[in-house]
Amino acid sequence: MGFPNQPSGGNTPISEPKDHTIKPSRGALECMVNSEIGAVLAVMRRNVRWGFRYAAEDDQLEYSLIQSFKELRKKIFSWRHEWNNVDPLLYLRPFLDVIQSDETGAPITGVALSSVYKFLTLGIIESADMNVDKALHQIVDAVTSCRFEVTDPASEEVVLMKILQVLLACMKSKASKNLTNHHVCNIVNTCFRLVHQASVKSELLQRIARHTMHELVRCIFVHLPDIESRVCADPETGKKQQEDNGCVDVAVGNDQTDEKTRKRDIACNGENPMMDPHGVPCMVEIFHFLCSLLNVMESIEIGSRSNPIAYEEDVPLFALGLINSAIELGGAAFANHPKLLALIREELFHNLMRFGLSMSPLILSTVCSIVLNLYHHLRFKLKLQLEAFFSGVLLKIAQSKHGASYQLQEVAMETLVDFCRQHMFVAEMYANYDCDISCSNIFEELANLLSKSTFPVNSPLSALNTLALEGLIAMIQGMAERIGQDSLVSDQGSFNLDGFRPFWVEICKDYNDPDHWVPFVHKMKQIKKKLLVGVDHFNRDPKKGMEYLQAVHLLPDKLDPKSVACFFRFSNGLDKNLVGDFLGSHEEFYIQVLHEFSRTFDFQDMNLDTALRIFLETFRLPGESQKIHRVLEAFSERYYEQSPDVLANKDAALVLSYSLIMLNTDQHNTQVKKKMTEEDFIRNNRRINGGNDLPREFLSELYHSICENEIRISSDRGADTPVLPPSHWIGLVHKSRQTSPFIVCDHGPYLDYDMFAMLSGQTIASISVVLDHVEQEDVWQTCIDGFLAIAKISASYNFDDVLDDLVVSLCKFTTLLLPSYTDEFIVTFAQDNKARLATLAVFTIANKYGDHIRSGWKNILECILSLHNFGLLPTRLFNDAADDVESTSDAYKSKPVAASPSTPHVPSLAPSRKSSGLMGRFSQLLYLDAEEPAPQPNEKQLAARQQTFQTIRMSHDTIFAESKFCKQSPFHSLSGPS
């Protein structure tokens, strides 16, 4: 027997109509159904089992399956004008009976499936006025329980393909809105089993099965944006809770819910929500199932395959691809449904971290695509998760940590550059992370990484170097595009605290209004800078660190337990060994600090092991037994205070906490050979709950939690392994519920001043390095565009020193400052596109932003003198300069002008008439030392000179088009009266 409800793998499109609205005419329906009846009967009669009559008692009867088709054939022609009123089940039943029969062979079952597929795709069923929902339910039930005899492998594969076709057609049908959550889950479950079963079949079936799964996921989640979340009351507490379209929370494969959930379901719906028209409940199950695939894929055994793909890549890629499809279509609507959002925050992101650190570039690329989609749609709900991914995966891989290959580095760098191209990504990283005292400096780390990665290391420039440059320039160009919009740059000065205020309680009045959040993040950035200096001092010398923080008013002049406790709790980068030693100290002051420290945690409605994990993630538990006792005593007191219904008293919490630490050491210390069993653990904790035993199930759950996920109590969490430990992820998820809101930046340049101050210097250096080494013209243009963007921002924000540095760097690439013979230079310049681009850029910047250039004018003047010396300045420049000087000097006609020395020989390409004013006098001075005319050029030199001059002429409108260039330049200061 062949069972399609078996496990399987594949990705090629199914040939099926896109438009389901094509319908036969009314008079043709009976002919079409009759044709399908005939097709099934014809195949059945070819089989010896169905090809003869047999006796049952005294009557000659045909087999019931054949008889039902013949009875249907008698009726269909009487429905000529009443098809709308015909129950679809009347003509579907014989076909569905064949599909469900385990006595039919693959060819018969395949024809029956084709008939049902035809009814679905031609819209016959959905045009009925009655029982459409029941008909669709019956089709799904029949197809998902399809059984048939396997006659040959080819026929079996045909049937499996047709099962996939019919189930997908059910979801694509307009009548699919009548499917229940339960039926949709069955469809997905059956298709996934076929995917698994197809792994031992042909590659064609593998690809079709996988394609069908992708199509199903798209069909389901495309409706998520149209579904609203509802609020219903918990029947036991009476409190309103936001629920997901049916108020259900069930895992895939588990149709049972606890009594409380069941009561709430009934309160919201009056019935089992899995029987409601499909919506969020089935999406929760399916998305949870897809996330769980990433946990169990590695343990699935798989047989030999005709076309094997690398298993360690193939299976996770399939699951990740389905998840990406769901997120692409569900988009921001995931945020409206708490259970779906919780799956992304807690389960999905942890798996993305884990698979992102795999050694497969293909898996990393897929993971990065998912994270980019999550950032685009849900970043305002995933602040700490995104921080963990950037700092723990992308930045680490791009820095070649954990043995990352060049290919992995390139994928990570490409992803970072893609993020930099998102319009407000850079500003949001800076506002949400660099300006948050509890977060990493993601913007600063990213800028440093990109800048460092542009410099080649003992080798020619690589693709990775130019890719990093693209990221830097994308950051700069984003800022340049925002120039001219309203900006809040008035609060850029240093922020000074005039007295102590608890920095950990600072909040913004409105995270959506730039008038509030922009000054707030400026303030927090200044506090963070000082705090990080204090943390650095503390890690080297705790006493000096405290004194510094008191001096900058981040701690009070007289230390109190609460302020020190909050410094330990909320400061990023503290040495956890030192914090643990202080918290375990026997000094009375630090005992008070310890208790204040424990009060900063919220353990309400939390399991004891989860609370202990979160608590011990913030410092390193000391090794001395007395210190351990003091620390656990403070923890137990806080836990019991917030969870009095779990344990009888705080002593019970203390004993059980000790027991969990001992179990953790026992299970995860390699030196312990004989491990504690579950029975040992339960026996060790008898009568600790006020003289009574704790429930066995409660202790068993704690035992397995510790055995499966170690409580990490070392200071270097994750340092010995690239994978984020589960215990730390639990703490991160808990912290994410309490962190400050994610600031979604609009298109205003509110923080560009601060970011540009950090970014400008290293970007100029990076562009210069790449421009110096690269030979591709498209990269030259990218570099020049970057220089122009920096110049624009520098002038707009009055970064005159940055503009001077830029001009100095850029002038070097013009080659105009290098000593050279005239004809030799002209030939070289004519062939040097990089030099010509740089020359054009230099004079463009001088023309547009000359008022902001200071020391850089020296280099610009040297370039002009070089061009003039080689006879390459167009005549128009001299004419414009002379006209400008004459018009400027009209007011001074009464004053004498100093005589000018005689003009020496000027090459033929110089101005033909005697120039007056600035350019004339300057050209005379330029050639005072000329001893003799230059030799006549040959034909090659003439051609090169002509080409160079044409280049200058073509650039002329850009370089010297505006007469204000002469006014802005230092020449103008010389053109007045002497």
Side-chain angles (χ1 to χ4, degrees):
M1 300 293 291
F3 301 95
N5 297 10
Q6 300 289 325
S8 120
N11 230 358
T12 300
I14 299 177
S15 160
E16 52 186 328
K18 299 279 184 181
D19 186 0
H20 293 175
T21 61
I22 301 174
K23 299 178 182 178
S25 63
R26 294 295 180 195
L29 290 178
E30 57 269 28
C31 294
M32 188 187 71
V33 174
N34 184 64
S35 174
E36 296 306 313
I37 293 171
V40 176
L41 287 175
V43 178
M44 293 180 73
R45 286 167 177 155
R46 285 165 53 186
N47 189 297
V48 292
R49 176 183 295 174
W50 314 98
F52 63 90
R53 295 171 178 268
Y54 65 94
E57 297 180 352
D58 296 331
D59 300 325
Q60 292 286 329
L61 297 176
E62 288 184 310
Y63 191 76
S64 59
L65 290 179
I66 292 181
Q67 184 62 34
S68 63
F69 279 112
K70 290 190 174 183
E71 291 296 326
L72 175 61
R73 200 171 227 169
K74 294 177 184 178
K75 300 176 183 177
I76 56 175
F77 288 98
S78 63
W79 298 338
R80 180 180 298 270
H81 303 294
E82 301 177 1
W83 276 94
N84 284 357
N85 299 321
V86 174
D87 186 344
L89 285 172
L90 290 177
Y91 54 84
L92 283 173
R93 177 60 61 196
F95 297 96
L96 299 181
D97 288 342
V98 170
I99 291 170
Q100 287 181 294
S101 173
D102 56 5
E103 297 182 1
T104 54
I108 300 171
T109 304
V111 175
L113 286 166
S114 295
S115 300
V116 174
Y117 178 72
K118 187 175 182 180
F119 298 154
L120 285 167
T121 54
L122 292 181
I124 300 173
I125 298 172
E126 64 194 37
S127 65
D129 292 336
M130 58 184 297
N131 283 345
V132 175
D133 54 342
K134 290 183 180 179
L136 213 56
H137 296 171
Q138 290 288 331
I139 292 174
V140 172
D141 290 340
V143 176
T144 55
S145 60
C146 172
R147 293 173 179 267
F148 57 93
E149 287 186 345
V150 178
T151 54
D152 61 273
S155 297
E156 179 189 8
E157 290 195 11
V158 169
V159 174
L160 297 181
M161 289 182 189
K162 289 185 177 181
I163 289 173
L164 293 167
Q165 281 185 324
V166 173
L167 292 178
L168 183 57
C170 286
M171 284 304 306
K172 288 190 171 183
S173 167
K174 290 181 180 178
S176 64
K177 61 188 178 190
N178 297 298
L179 288 172
T180 67
N181 290 300
H182 174 73
H183 284 97
V184 171
C185 289
N186 276 353
I187 289 174
V188 173
N189 186 41
T190 300
C191 286
F192 177 74
R193 289 178 176 177
L194 290 178
V195 168
H196 188 58
Q197 184 176 350
S199 62
V200 294
K201 307 294 182 181
S202 69
E203 184 175 354
L204 177 62
L205 180 60
Q206 291 179 49
R207 294 185 179 276
I208 289 178
R210 293 189 175 206
H211 171 79
T212 304
M213 275 293 292
H214 278 280
E215 287 292 299
L216 284 173
V217 169
R218 293 186 185 107
C219 286
I220 294 165
F221 283 89
V222 73
H223 300 295
L224 184 60
D226 303 323
I227 299 174
E228 296 181 0
S229 60
R230 6 182 198 166
V231 177
C232 59
D234 188 318
E236 304 224 344
T237 64
K239 295 181 180 179
K240 290 188 176 181
Q241 299 182 358
Q242 186 177 8
E243 297 294 340
D244 291 337
N245 187 32
C247 308
V248 65
D249 186 11
V250 289
V252 170
N254 180 11
D255 293 333
Q256 297 180 346
T257 58
D258 59 33
E259 190 62 26
K260 184 176 179 180
T261 303
R262 193 179 302 280
K263 288 180 181 179
R264 191 166 69 246
D265 294 341
I266 295 172
C268 289
N269 302 324
E271 58 184 9
N272 185 353
M274 294 306 290
M275 293 297 107
D276 287 345
H278 71 92
V280 174
C282 73
M283 295 183 192
V284 171
E285 282 207 29
I286 292 166
F287 198 78
H288 175 65
F289 171 64
L290 297 179
C291 292
S292 65
L293 284 179
L294 297 174
N295 294 326
V296 301
M297 281 295 193
E298 295 180 2
S299 62
I300 295 178
E301 293 185 1
I302 191 163
S304 60
R305 292 181 287 181
S306 56
N307 296 285
I309 311 171
Y311 177 67
E312 62 275 6
E313 281 191 353
D314 178 50
V315 183
L317 279 174
F318 175 59
L320 291 167
L322 293 174
I323 290 169
N324 198 33
S325 294
I327 293 171
E328 285 175 338
L329 293 170
F334 275 90
N336 300 330
H337 306 283
K339 291 170 187 171
L340 286 171
L341 183 61
L343 285 172
I344 292 175
R345 280 175 161 176
E346 299 171 20
E347 189 167 353
L348 175 60
F349 244 104
H350 190 211
N351 281 318
L352 293 179
M353 294 281 293
R354 183 163 60 92
F355 280 99
L357 291 168
S358 72
M359 291 295 106
S360 166
L362 193 53
I363 288 180
L364 176 60
S365 179
T366 307
V367 166
C368 290
S369 296
I370 295 174
V371 175
L372 184 60
N373 278 320
L374 289 172
Y375 168 79
H376 179 74
H377 295 297
L378 297 168
R379 59 188 182 278
F380 53 94
K381 295 290 186 179
L382 300 170
K383 179 176 177 178
L384 297 190
Q385 286 82 357
L386 286 168
E387 179 197 12
F389 188 81
F390 283 122
S391 60
V393 177
L394 287 182
L395 293 174
K396 282 187 177 180
I397 293 177
Q399 292 168 359
S400 190
K401 293 185 178 180
H402 304 304
S405 64
Y406 178 84
Q407 290 76 16
L408 284 171
Q409 288 183 65
E410 196 167 21
V411 171
M413 191 67 74
E414 286 171 348
T415 303
L416 290 171
V417 173
D418 285 341
F419 273 106
C420 290
R421 291 181 178 127
Q422 306 300 306
H423 196 64
M424 296 308 298
F425 168 77
V426 175
E428 289 179 346
M429 292 300 102
Y430 183 77
N432 288 286
Y433 302 119
D434 291 58
C435 297
D436 188 324
I437 60 173
S438 63
C439 295
S440 306
N441 289 333
I442 298 294
F443 167 77
E444 187 176 346
E445 289 182 30
L446 176 58
N448 291 337
L449 168 69
L450 293 176
S451 177
K452 181 180 178 182
S453 299
T454 58
F455 289 78
V457 181
N458 300 325
S459 64
L461 208 66
S462 68
L464 202 62
N465 301 133
T466 55
L467 193 59
L469 180 70
E470 288 179 23
L472 279 175
I473 293 178
M475 287 181 171
I476 291 293
Q477 288 179 331
M479 297 178 195
E481 290 170 6
R482 294 190 285 271
I483 294 295
Q485 303 180 41
D486 292 338
S487 175
L488 299 178
V489 295
S490 58
D491 294 329
Q492 308 295 345
S494 177
F495 174 80
N496 293 314
L497 285 170
D498 53 5
F500 168 71
R501 287 187 61 188
F503 61 84
W504 55 89
V505 297
E506 293 280 354
I507 58 172
C508 179
K509 293 180 180 179
D510 187 350
Y511 284 93
N512 297 314
D513 185 356
D515 289 334
H516 288 95
W517 69 255
V518 173
F520 173 76
V521 299
H522 282 148
K523 178 180 179 181
M524 296 311 294
K525 181 59 177 176
Q526 295 296 330
I527 291 175
K528 186 175 184 179
K529 286 180 180 178
K530 295 177 180 179
L531 187 61
L532 289 177
V533 174
V535 166
D536 184 59
H537 286 316
F538 178 87
N539 289 342
R540 288 185 278 116
D541 187 331
K543 183 179 178 181
K544 288 185 178 179
M546 294 287 193
E547 290 174 351
Y548 170 83
L549 291 168
Q550 288 174 299
V552 296
H553 305 298
L554 292 179
L555 285 178
D557 293 336
K558 183 179 180 181
L559 294 178
D560 63 272
K562 185 173 182 178
S563 62
V564 175
C566 291
F567 169 66
F568 288 162
R569 177 77 165 91
F570 301 112
S571 298
N572 207 17
L574 284 173
D575 185 329
K576 297 185 185 297
N577 290 289
L578 289 175
V579 175
D581 288 338
F582 278 110
L583 293 178
S585 173
H586 68 278
E587 293 182 28
E588 181 60 31
F589 178 80
Y590 283 105
I591 291 176
Q592 295 177 34
V593 169
L594 171 61
H595 285 272
E596 289 291 347
F597 182 83
S598 65
R599 291 190 187 102
T600 63
F601 292 87
D602 179 13
F603 296 139
Q604 195 164 359
D605 300 325
M606 194 178 292
N607 292 336
L608 180 66
D609 66 309
T610 302
L612 193 58
R613 291 177 194 277
I614 292 171
F615 186 70
L616 295 179
E617 273 293 322
T618 57
F619 63 95
R620 184 178 188 270
L621 188 65
E624 300 175 28
S625 59
Q626 290 183 341
K627 290 186 176 183
I628 294 174
H629 179 83
R630 279 191 287 269
V631 169
L632 292 183
E633 188 175 38
F635 163 78
S636 303
E637 181 179 317
R638 178 61 173 173
Y639 182 79
Y640 176 71
E641 176 186 327
Q642 294 190 300
S643 304
D645 299 332
V646 178
L647 298 167
N649 49 50
K650 64 180 182 181
D651 291 334
L654 176 60
V655 174
L656 190 54
S657 299
Y658 247 118
S659 184
L660 291 179
I661 295 295
M662 292 174 62
L663 174 64
N664 188 72
T665 303
D666 175 89
Q667 295 294 315
H668 301 287
N669 190 325
T670 55
Q671 296 180 355
V672 178
K673 302 303 180 183
K674 186 178 180 181
K675 302 295 184 183
M676 188 185 304
T677 65
E678 182 177 343
E679 288 300 325
D680 294 335
F681 178 73
I682 294 173
R683 184 168 55 253
N684 293 342
N685 289 285
R686 285 178 180 171
R687 302 188 182 280
I688 66 169
N689 197 32
N692 298 317
D693 287 342
L694 287 163
R696 183 182 181 88
E697 296 77 13
F698 175 73
L699 292 175
S700 177
E701 183 179 350
L702 289 176
Y703 175 83
H704 289 290
S705 175
I706 299 299
C707 291
E708 293 168 9
N709 293 317
E710 177 187 3
I711 298 179
R712 301 184 65 86
I713 58 177
S714 62
S715 59
D716 55 343
R717 68 178 184 216
D720 56 338
T721 172
V723 181
L724 193 68
S727 61
H728 177 53
W729 189 257
I730 292 170
L732 185 145
V733 169
H734 176 72
K735 183 181 174 184
S736 69
R737 297 171 186 149
Q738 303 171 326
T739 192
S740 58
F742 189 96
I743 297 172
V744 178
C745 298
D746 58 23
H747 297 288
Y750 309 114
L751 304 174
D752 288 352
Y753 183 97
D754 295 333
M755 294 188 294
F756 184 71
M758 299 171 61
L759 195 62
S760 55
Q762 53 194 9
T763 304
I764 292 174
S766 297
I767 294 176
S768 299
V769 166
V770 173
L771 191 57
D772 190 36
H773 286 78
V774 77
E775 295 300 328
Q776 291 86 4
E777 293 198 18
D778 58 330
V779 181
W780 294 343
Q781 189 60 57
T782 300
C783 293
I784 296 300
D785 292 342
F787 274 135
L788 293 174
I790 294 173
K792 180 180 180 181
I793 302 169
S794 300
S796 298
Y797 289 136
N798 296 315
F799 280 94
D800 295 350
D801 54 341
V802 173
L803 194 55
D804 285 333
D805 291 342
L806 185 153
V807 169
V808 170
S809 296
L810 189 54
C811 284
K812 295 176 182 177
F813 295 102
T814 64
T815 69
L816 296 174
L817 306 182
L818 300 176
S820 177
Y821 292 109
T822 300
D823 293 322
E824 178 185 310
F825 167 79
I826 292 174
V827 173
T828 304
F829 190 82
Q831 299 171 349
D832 193 341
N833 290 337
K834 184 194 297 186
R836 295 205 303 273
L837 281 173
T839 303
L840 176 60
V842 166
F843 291 108
T844 300
I845 291 170
N847 195 30
K848 287 186 175 182
Y849 313 117
D851 289 341
H852 296 274
I853 299 174
R854 299 292 180 263
S855 61
W857 274 116
K858 176 179 180 295
N859 299 76
I860 296 174
L861 292 178
E862 289 177 354
C863 292
I864 293 174
L865 291 175
S866 294
L867 287 173
H868 187 54
N869 187 29
F870 298 135
L872 296 175
L873 287 183
T875 303
R876 181 180 168 188
L877 172 64
F878 290 91
N879 295 340
D880 291 346
D883 294 342
D884 184 64
V885 170
E886 290 170 2
S887 62
T888 307
S889 302
D890 284 343
Y892 304 97
K893 288 181 179 179
S894 61
K895 298 185 179 182
V897 179
S900 301
S902 59
T903 305
H905 170 78
V906 179
S908 59
L909 293 179
S912 57
R913 68 181 179 89
K914 183 178 180 180
S915 299
S916 60
L918 163 69
M919 288 300 179
R921 294 197 302 273
F922 197 51
S923 62
Q924 292 166 4
L925 292 171
L926 182 64
Y927 291 101
L928 280 177
D929 296 330
E931 295 180 355
E932 59 181 55
Q936 294 298 317
N938 58 34
E939 292 184 6
K940 180 179 178 181
Q941 292 169 335
L942 284 172
R945 177 179 293 181
Q946 187 63 30
Q947 182 181 358
T948 302
F949 185 64
Q950 291 300 324
T951 301
I952 298 295
R953 286 183 61 85
M954 286 188 295
S955 305
H956 178 265
D957 290 340
T958 303
I959 301 175
F960 302 110
E962 303 178 27
S963 61
K964 73 173 184 177
F965 169 74
C966 296
K967 297 177 183 179
Q968 291 172 338
S969 72
F971 289 149
H972 186 262
S973 63
L974 301 174
S975 62
S978 49

